Amino acid sequence: MQIGKRGFLSIALIANLLLFSGCGDSHQNDDYGITDVNKIALTVDNHPHGYGRSQCFTCHLPDNIHQENRVNSFLVDTARDLVKTEGTNRCYACHGTNGL
Ligand code: HEC
Ligand code: HEC
């Protein structure tokens, strides 16, 4: 059987998706360089690509956020618990309304 150019491209694409999608064991920790717990409120300036959007998990996988405590705050633990039990219902409590 000949794979052909198109077949080869699909295989390459699938391999790439597996490598970079974060599926399986490896996952990435979201890091936007936040260092100050007083600056986690979302604004049009610090959140240009997500401002005004309610479906946070479209872009931020629950497993990838709040994995590191860079701000030295108990809020990171609280966030992890709340995201588990409340999903996106409580993001606003710490990150503001995101323009909604
Ligand atoms: C369309 C994709 C998208 C959606 C939907 C989205 N975000 Fe984001 N978010 C981003 C991107 C991309 C960044 C990096 C900053 C930027 O380019 O906007 C970011 C950055 C952030 C940051 C770090 C901001 C900082 O201070 O550097 C927080 C916190 C965050 N998002 C929370 C949320 C919450 C909460 C929601 C839902 C209410 C949400 N995001 C919805 C894409 C998204
Ligand atoms: C109890 C407060 C709290 C809640 C609720 C909360 N967050 Fe956060 N979030 C934080 C804190 C504090 C940080 C900074 C973590 C760090 O990098 O040290 C953060 C960071 C983030 C970041 C940047 C990546 C990171 O891990 O640093 C994203 C994205 C984010 N939150 C999204 C969300 C979304 C989406 C929700 C709702 C599903 C949510 N947060 C709910 C407190 C909260």
Side-chain angles (χ1 to χ4, degrees), residues 3-14:
I3 293 180
K5 193 172 178 193
R6 186 172 267 190
F8 175 77
L9 284 178
S10 337
I11 291 169
L13 184 69
I14 290 166

Coordinates of all heavy atoms in Angstrom, one line a residue, residues 3-14:
I3 N 1.3 5.1 0.9 CA 0.7 6.1 1.8 C 0.4 7.4 1.1 O -0.7 8.0 1.3 CB 1.7 6.4 3.0 CG1 1.8 5.1 3.8 CG2 1.2 7.5 3.8 CD1 2.7 5.3 5.0
G4 N 1.3 7.8 0.2 CA 1.0 9.0 -0.6 C 1.3 10.3 0.3 O 1.4 10.2 1.5
K5 N 1.3 11.4 -0.4 CA 1.7 12.7 0.3 C 0.6 13.0 1.3 O 1.0 13.4 2.4 CB 1.7 13.8 -0.8 CG 2.4 15.0 -0.2 CD 2.7 16.0 -1.3 CE 3.3 17.3 -0.8 NZ 3.3 18.4 -1.7
R6 N -0.6 12.9 1.0 CA -1.7 13.3 1.9 C -1.7 12.4 3.2 O -1.8 12.9 4.3 CB -3.0 13.2 1.2 CG -4.2 13.7 2.0 CD -5.4 13.8 1.2 NE -5.6 15.1 0.6 CZ -6.7 15.5 0.0 NH1 -7.7 14.6 -0.1 NH2 -6.8 16.7 -0.5
G7 N -1.5 11.1 2.9 CA -1.4 10.2 4.1 C -0.3 10.5 5.0 O -0.4 10.5 6.2
F8 N 0.8 10.8 4.4 CA 2.0 11.2 5.2 C 1.7 12.4 6.0 O 2.0 12.5 7.2 CB 3.2 11.4 4.3 CG 4.4 11.9 5.0 CD1 5.2 11.0 5.8 CD2 4.8 13.2 5.0 CE1 6.3 11.5 6.5 CE2 5.8 13.7 5.7 CZ 6.6 12.8 6.5
L9 N 1.1 13.4 5.4 CA 0.8 14.6 6.1 C -0.1 14.4 7.3 O 0.1 15.0 8.3 CB 0.2 15.7 5.1 CG 1.2 16.3 4.2 CD1 0.5 17.3 3.3 CD2 2.3 17.1 5.0
S10 N -1.1 13.5 7.1 CA -2.0 13.2 8.2 C -1.3 12.6 9.3 O -1.5 12.9 10.5 CB -3.2 12.4 7.8 OG -3.5 12.4 6.5
I11 N -0.4 11.6 9.0 CA 0.3 11.0 10.0 C 1.2 12.0 10.8 O 1.3 12.0 12.0 CB 1.2 9.8 9.4 CG1 0.3 8.7 8.9 CG2 2.2 9.3 10.5 CD1 1.0 7.7 8.1
A12 N 1.9 12.9 10.0 CA 2.7 13.9 10.7 C 1.8 14.8 11.6 O 2.2 15.1 12.7 CB 3.4 14.7 9.6
L13 N 0.6 15.1 11.1 CA -0.3 15.9 11.9 C -0.7 15.2 13.2 O -0.6 15.8 14.3 CB -1.5 16.3 11.1 CG -2.5 17.2 11.7 CD1 -1.8 18.6 11.8 CD2 -3.8 17.3 11.0
I14 N -1.0 14.0 13.1 CA -1.4 13.2 14.3 C -0.3 13.1 15.3 O -0.4 13.4 16.5 CB -2.0 11.8 13.9 CG1 -3.3 12.0 13.2 CG2 -2.1 11.0 15.2 CD1 -3.7 10.7 12.5

